[in-house]
Amino acid sequence: MQYRKITVSASGVYDIIISSGLLENAADYIQSITKAKKIAIITDDNVDALYGEKLLRCLTDKGFNAVKFVFPHGEASKCEGTLFRIYSFLCENHITRSDCLIALGGGVVGDITGFAAATFLRGLDYIQIPTSLLAQVDSSVGGKTAIDIPEGKNLVGAFKQPRLVLCDTSTLSTLPEKFLIDGMGEVVKYGMIKSAPLFEILENRTIDDIMDIADDIIEQCVSIKRDVVEADEFDKGERMLLNFGHTLAHSIEQYYNYTGITHGMAVAAGMRIITEIAEKHDMAKSGLAKRLVKCMDNYSLNTKIEPTAQQLAQACLNDKKRESDNISIIICSDIGKSSAVKMAVDNFLKLLSE
Ligand code: GLY
């Protein structure tokens, strides 16, 4: 089988394999990286209906003792209640530290399974099998794991690198268009922060064109992420660039109760607003926001939102990039050129309300 492979060397070294049809051969890849006898697949009801039994069978056929935990799909499940149900399931199935978890699904499944792996028995291995575009280009790589709490998204979490990431690009064909658009928000982000060539591809394509070259696009995004994570695994500097548009996006998602808007759509709105602010204050090339919005239009990334600046500002106060009275805001001065700008929270709120 032909595949693309990217190796990440962080606190753990692991491969990201990208190819269509990987799920069928998942057990072979998994066998090559673990001595685990038992594997617990964690997934949601949507993904389970499509791929749960297939993966379970493929693992048991190879001699693994595989079990499966399924929870309701959606961001609302990325919470303490689901996490504790996962812990109970792992206990009931006598999962030990030498066993392994698999996150089969999108960003919610990956984040909560990674956090369970980071904390259950003080840590055990996990593998990411991302099935959404957003998870394949971004969240399955780099070891950020978390759950949401009522006060905000991803406020409780840990860094825990997976042992392997298997990106089966054929799973994208079963994704509703809304979720392809969601993933495109992160793809555009990678072009904006680090890669003018990637952005130029995106500027001249439609979503169907991108799906035809999905393996290549995912490889480009993941390669950028690999470089960033290797330089700054624990998010003290360079890695913050991956949060371009995200400070506002998290506030927007909170405003919509994590249900009325997708993450990618919120990131698109966040990237537009921050780029307009940067342009207005001569921190970005003139015309950049317009070029960004035009590119995002190709993917139906609508950036109009309901909340007022005041409403967004309140939620921004819990941002993880806040240090005491300062906050790091990611600015793109041009396509592919990004930096973190530290400013007083009050100044940021003032810029926002202008
Ligand atoms: N998704 C942002 C990061 O992994 O740092």
Side-chain angles (χ1 to χ4, degrees):
M1 170 181 246
Q2 278 218 321
Y3 58 80
R4 296 159 196 250
K5 184 170 92 172
I6 294 165
T7 302
V8 181
S9 297
S11 52
V13 177
Y14 57 97
D15 291 334
I16 301 154
I17 314 278
I18 304 164
S19 177
S20 172
L22 275 182
L23 258 176
E24 261 111 82
N25 305 301
D28 293 329
Y29 292 102
I30 292 168
Q31 217 159 35
S32 71
I33 59 106
T34 181
K35 292 196 170 33
K37 302 259 178 298
K38 251 189 204 169
I39 296 197
I41 302 167
I42 314 289
T43 190
D44 70 27
D45 53 353
N46 278 348
V47 178
D48 182 47
L50 294 165
Y51 308 115
E53 282 308 306
K54 191 173 178 178
L55 180 61
L56 193 76
R57 216 171 329 109
C58 141
L59 291 169
T60 45
D61 285 354
K62 275 279 168 193
F64 287 109
N65 178 354
V67 290
K68 179 161 61 88
F69 178 84
V70 183
F71 62 82
H73 65 276
E75 189 74 32
S77 285
K78 209 174 99 180
C79 63
E80 173 202 7
T82 311
L83 179 70
F84 276 72
R85 281 194 290 284
I86 293 174
Y87 291 150
S88 298
F89 174 82
L90 300 178
C91 288
E92 281 154 20
N93 285 283
H94 311 293
I95 296 293
T96 68
R97 269 187 189 163
S98 60
D99 296 324
C100 181
L101 310 187
I102 293 181
L104 173 68
V108 168
V109 172
D111 284 6
I112 197 166
T113 305
F115 190 59
T119 48
F120 185 68
L121 306 177
R122 299 204 180 93
L124 74 166
D125 287 348
Y126 76 110
I127 291 163
Q128 292 271 16
I129 306 188
T131 56
S132 71
L133 181 61
L134 182 137
Q136 294 188 352
V137 295
D138 190 63
S139 61
S140 66
V141 176
K144 275 193 182 173
T145 74
I147 58 165
D148 304 332
I149 58 173
E151 289 75 11
K153 194 175 149 128
N154 294 335
L155 288 186
V156 177
F159 290 96
K160 167 97 178 159
Q161 299 296 335
R163 287 292 318 281
L164 176 69
V165 181
L166 296 177
C167 277
D168 182 344
T169 48
S170 63
T171 61
L172 300 179
S173 65
T174 55
L175 261 194
E177 186 166 81
K178 174 178 165 191
F179 295 108
L180 284 180
I181 294 170
D182 181 29
M184 286 310 296
E186 295 287 352
V187 175
V188 172
K189 175 197 82 179
Y190 279 105
M192 279 297 286
I193 62 167
K194 284 277 179 192
S195 172
L198 172 60
F199 191 88
E200 279 154 20
I201 292 174
L202 301 174
E203 268 185 316
N204 298 305
R205 298 291 203 288
T206 63
I207 191 101
D208 289 340
D209 299 332
I210 294 299
M211 286 307 110
D212 288 344
I213 51 167
D215 290 28
D216 180 52
I217 295 291
I218 293 166
E219 185 181 23
Q220 290 198 46
C221 294
V222 167
S223 299
I224 296 171
K225 182 145 190 186
R226 184 262 322 270
D227 294 347
V228 171
V229 168
E230 286 185 351
D232 174 29
E233 180 176 357
F234 298 109
D235 213 5
K236 303 276 184 221
E238 169 113 0
R239 188 165 182 171
M240 288 189 205
L241 301 181
L242 299 178
N243 277 318
F244 176 51
H246 281 60
T247 297
L248 291 168
H250 289 162
S251 306
I252 296 166
E253 287 180 277
Q254 198 177 355
Y255 173 89
Y256 286 101
N257 270 329
Y258 303 109
T259 48
I261 194 164
T262 62
H263 177 66
M265 207 64 108
V267 168
M271 292 191 293
R272 172 189 55 85
I273 296 169
I274 206 67
T275 305
E276 283 171 355
I277 292 175
E279 219 179 299
K280 191 168 160 196
H281 292 271
D282 293 327
M283 291 185 280
K285 193 173 167 182
S286 156
L288 187 64
K290 207 166 155 205
R291 193 171 165 196
L292 168 63
V293 169
K294 189 159 177 281
C295 175
M296 293 196 293
D297 276 350
N298 293 348
Y299 307 103
S300 311
L301 284 161
N302 172 4
T303 62
K304 291 199 184 73
I305 48 160
E306 260 175 31
T308 62
Q310 220 73 37
Q311 285 164 320
L312 292 185
Q314 199 49 39
C316 284
L317 297 179
N318 271 335
D319 193 87
K320 289 185 294 308
K321 289 172 297 312
R322 188 174 164 183
E323 285 171 20
S324 185
D325 289 336
N326 293 318
I327 189 164
S328 291
I329 300 298
I330 312 309
I331 303 280
C332 287
S333 58
D334 199 354
I335 304 293
K337 292 196 179 130
S338 53
S339 60
V341 177
K342 208 178 202 172
M343 61 176 86
V345 173
D346 286 349
N347 280 351
F348 176 60
L349 298 184
K350 213 164 95 208
L351 289 181
L352 200 57
S353 56
E354 279 171 10

